[in-house]
């Protein structure tokens, strides 16, 4: 059964059938080969999405779209530019910093790409940066949308591996800040070498003015994250609060969202949410079948036999996840792999929260690596260029994030120190 499922999935990938459909078809074939009742597919697919924490996904997606339309994104850009935009290379640094702030409420890298990229990619091009570089920078920076909490992939890992989502969120700040500051340092040096960005400070608002204009926008992450860690509401409830806040600010304070805009915002959010939920349902059925077939236990025993130490295990997992992330959507990969790998990581003495951050950061790389990098497609759409033009500019960014990933992997304190302080473990 397992062999038939794997072969079917690989063939579907080769035929460029979508990941969710490929996983679903292979799972259905597995049920047929195993002579199981087909009602099992309905039951397990429904069970996969019938989990309260998953309600956060459509709400965070809707909040991101409301922020984009309601002027919150633009004001965050101006605020970030007032901080770092005055130096050579300040505009690319503004892109990274804005994505870090936007990530603290959006939970989605694709939403971050569209919301921030629609403003900053044209601005970067206007200031003389090559269009492919602007798109590559935006796609990479938006990856922070799933690393800095709240994060949809962290929610999925928490549900799949039965790990506290609150602990994952607080642990995500260290890796997110490390990657964000590393990217800002890199683009600053790179622009100095290339001679780009000497006029980036033009049109920059003062810090005080920008702070006043972005005041309501900046309160959003404070309310959302403060509420989560203050115990006022759960991460799932926080997603609904984010929607309510973005709607009130966009409609009644900034006045940039009208009644007529709501249909388009809701339609876009529903479509994005439906795609993710369809992936989760199919991946949940697939994970159930391979678990029932004993695959996780077999892989666990094999990894224990081949990879004798935690260090070797983490190196092997990182290599495998990097390759998998190139071909499988992040959400699907987490749902399928987390129940398999997390128990093995615990056996090696690795904290499941730390391991979750390793998985999320690594698979987030898949969002900016061909052939199926969703951030790349989003950035290319905004920049109106083909994917092949962006690839040469991606290599340095991928190198920076890989270096950060190795630090995050082998220095667990980056992820766990803040978690241990907050939760007093």
């Amino acid at each position: 059964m397992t062999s038939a499922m794997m072969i079917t999935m690989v063939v579907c990938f080769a035929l460029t059938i979508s990941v969710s459909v490929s996983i679903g078809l292979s799972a259905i074939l597995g049920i047929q080969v195993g002579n199981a009742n087909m009602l099992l597919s309905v039951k397990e697919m429904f069970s996969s999405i019938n989990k309260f924490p998953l309600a956060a996904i459509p709400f965070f997606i809707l909040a991101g779209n409301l922020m984009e339309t309601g002027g919150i994104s633009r004001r965050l850009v101006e605020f970030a530019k007032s901080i770092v935009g005055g130096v050579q290379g300040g505009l690319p640094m503004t892109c990274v910093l804005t994505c870090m702030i936007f990530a603290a409420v959006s939970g989605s890298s694709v939403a971050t790409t569209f919301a921030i990229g629609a403003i900053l990619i044209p601005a970067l091009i206007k200031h003389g940066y090559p269009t492919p570089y602007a798109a590559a920078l935006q796609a990479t920076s938006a990856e922070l949308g799933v690393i800095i909490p709240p994060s949809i992939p962290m929610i999925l890992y928490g549900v799949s591996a039965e790990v506290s989502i609150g602990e994952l969120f607080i642990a995500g700040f260290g890796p997110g800040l490390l990657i964000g500051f590393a990217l800002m340092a890199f683009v600053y040096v790179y622009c100095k070498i290339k001679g780009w960005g000497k006029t980036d400070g033009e049109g920059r608002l003062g810090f005080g003015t920008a702070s006043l204009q972005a005041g309501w926008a900046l309160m959003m992450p404070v309310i959302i994250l403060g509420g989560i860690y203050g115990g006022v509401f759960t991460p799932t409830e926080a997603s609904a609060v984010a929607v309510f806040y973005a709607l009130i600010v966009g409609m009644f304070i900034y006045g940039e969202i009208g009644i007529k805009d709501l249909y388009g915002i809701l339609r876009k959010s529903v479509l994005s949410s439906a795609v993710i939920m369809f992936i989760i349902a199919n991946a949940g059925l697939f994970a159930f079948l391979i678990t029932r077939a004993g695959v996780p236990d077999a892989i666990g025993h094999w990894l224990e036999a081949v990879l004798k130490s935690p260090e070797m295990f983490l190196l092997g997992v990182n290599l495998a996840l990097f390759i998998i992330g190139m071909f499988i959507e992040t959400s699907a990969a987490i749902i399928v792999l987390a129940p398999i790998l997390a128990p093995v990581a615990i056996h090696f003495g690795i904290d499941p929260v730390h391991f979750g951050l390793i998985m999320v950061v690594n698979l987030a790389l898949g969002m900016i690596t061909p052939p199926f990098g969703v951030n790349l497609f989003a950035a290319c759409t905004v920049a109106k260029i083909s994917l092949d033009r962006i690839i040469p500019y991606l290599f340095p960014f991928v190198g920076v994030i890989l270096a950060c990933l190795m630090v995050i992997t082998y220095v667990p304190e980056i992820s766990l120190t803040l978690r241990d302080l907050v939760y007093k473990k």
Side-chain angles (χ1 to χ4, degrees):
M1 179 182 76
T2 306
S3 300
M5 290 170 61
M6 293 299 180
I7 292 170
T8 302
M9 188 164 61
V10 170
V11 170
C12 288
F13 286 162
L15 295 173
T16 67
I17 297 173
S18 70
V19 172
S20 55
V21 174
S22 299
I23 294 173
L25 286 175
S26 63
I28 295 297
L29 180 65
I31 292 174
Q32 293 287 344
V33 171
N35 293 318
N37 193 319
M38 280 300 294
L39 287 175
L40 183 68
S41 62
V42 179
K43 173 182 174 296
E44 290 304 323
M45 290 176 78
F46 177 76
S47 297
S48 298
I49 58 175
N50 187 31
K51 296 173 181 176
F52 179 67
L54 294 181
I57 293 175
F59 282 119
F60 277 130
I61 290 173
L62 176 56
N65 289 331
L66 287 168
M67 290 170 70
E68 178 185 359
T69 308
I72 293 176
S73 305
R74 189 179 71 254
R75 287 168 174 83
L76 290 177
V77 169
E78 291 297 337
F79 173 74
K81 189 176 179 181
S82 73
I83 299 174
V84 297
V87 300
Q88 183 177 347
L91 207 52
M93 293 172 69
T94 297
C95 180
V96 178
L97 183 57
T98 307
C99 288
M100 291 173 70
I101 301 171
F102 193 86
V105 280
S106 74
S108 166
S109 67
V110 176
T112 305
T113 303
F114 280 114
I116 307 303
I119 302 166
L120 277 175
I121 289 178
L124 285 161
I125 296 169
K126 181 180 177 181
H127 280 77
Y129 291 91
T131 302
Y133 173 81
L137 170 69
Q138 179 58 66
T140 305
S141 302
E143 180 188 319
L144 293 163
V146 299
I147 299 172
I148 294 177
S151 160
I152 291 173
M154 286 184 196
I155 294 171
L156 297 177
Y157 175 85
V159 171
S160 302
E162 298 181 355
V163 175
S164 166
I165 295 172
E167 291 188 30
L168 286 166
F169 277 9
I170 198 73
F173 280 106
L177 293 174
L178 172 66
I179 294 173
F181 288 127
L183 284 172
M184 281 198 284
F186 169 73
V187 297
Y188 174 76
V189 173
Y190 193 75
C191 289
K192 283 280 189 181
I193 294 170
K194 291 286 189 178
W196 295 341
K198 293 180 180 179
T199 62
D200 282 1
E202 293 178 359
R204 172 171 160 259
L205 296 176
F207 177 74
T209 303
S211 299
L212 285 174
Q213 290 187 2
W216 288 100
L218 292 170
M219 281 299 295
M220 193 171 180
V222 174
I223 292 171
I224 301 307
L225 298 176
I228 292 173
Y229 302 125
V232 179
F233 38 71
T234 67
T236 306
E237 292 164 347
S239 62
V241 174
V243 170
F244 180 76
Y245 186 87
L247 184 62
I248 295 299
V249 172
M251 287 190 75
F252 301 110
I253 296 176
Y254 293 156
E256 297 192 22
I257 297 178
I259 296 296
K260 66 180 186 301
D261 299 317
L262 291 179
Y263 173 77
I265 294 170
L266 291 170
R267 183 177 185 276
K268 182 179 177 181
S269 302
V270 167
L271 290 174
S272 299
S273 301
V275 169
I276 294 177
M277 289 300 182
F278 187 60
I279 292 172
I280 293 171
N282 284 299
L285 174 61
F286 185 90
F288 169 79
L289 292 172
I290 62 173
T291 300
R292 195 172 75 162
V295 173
D297 290 337
I299 291 176
H301 291 311
W302 180 80
L303 287 172
E304 290 174 35
V306 175
L307 305 173
K308 302 292 186 181
S309 67
E311 293 77 17
M312 289 301 297
F313 168 74
L314 289 174
L315 183 63
V317 165
N318 271 325
L319 180 60
L321 290 178
F322 181 70
I323 296 171
I324 289 168
M326 292 183 180
F327 299 96
I328 298 181
E329 200 271 336
T330 301
S331 300
I334 288 175
I335 294 169
V336 173
L337 296 174
I340 298 173
L341 296 176
V344 184
I346 293 171
H347 173 81
F348 277 109
I350 300 165
D351 190 296
V353 172
H354 176 218
F355 186 71
L357 267 295
I358 293 170
M359 281 197 73
V360 169
V361 172
N362 195 318
L363 290 171
L365 262 174
M367 298 176 177
I368 60 167
T369 50
F372 299 123
V374 290
N375 283 13
L376 298 184
F377 296 125
C380 287
T381 300
V382 175
K384 298 182 175 63
I385 59 171
S386 59
L387 182 61
D388 59 295
R389 291 183 59 196
I390 199 175
I391 291 174
Y393 291 92
L394 276 174
F395 290 113
F397 291 120
V398 172
V400 171
I401 295 177
L402 279 174
C404 291
L405 174 62
M406 290 298 101
V407 176
I408 293 164
T409 299
Y410 293 109
V411 186
E413 290 78 11
I414 292 173
S415 302
L416 301 181
T417 298
L418 188 58
R419 188 281 308 263
D420 292 343
L421 286 172
V422 171
Y423 287 89
K424 296 180 174 60
K425 290 241 171 189

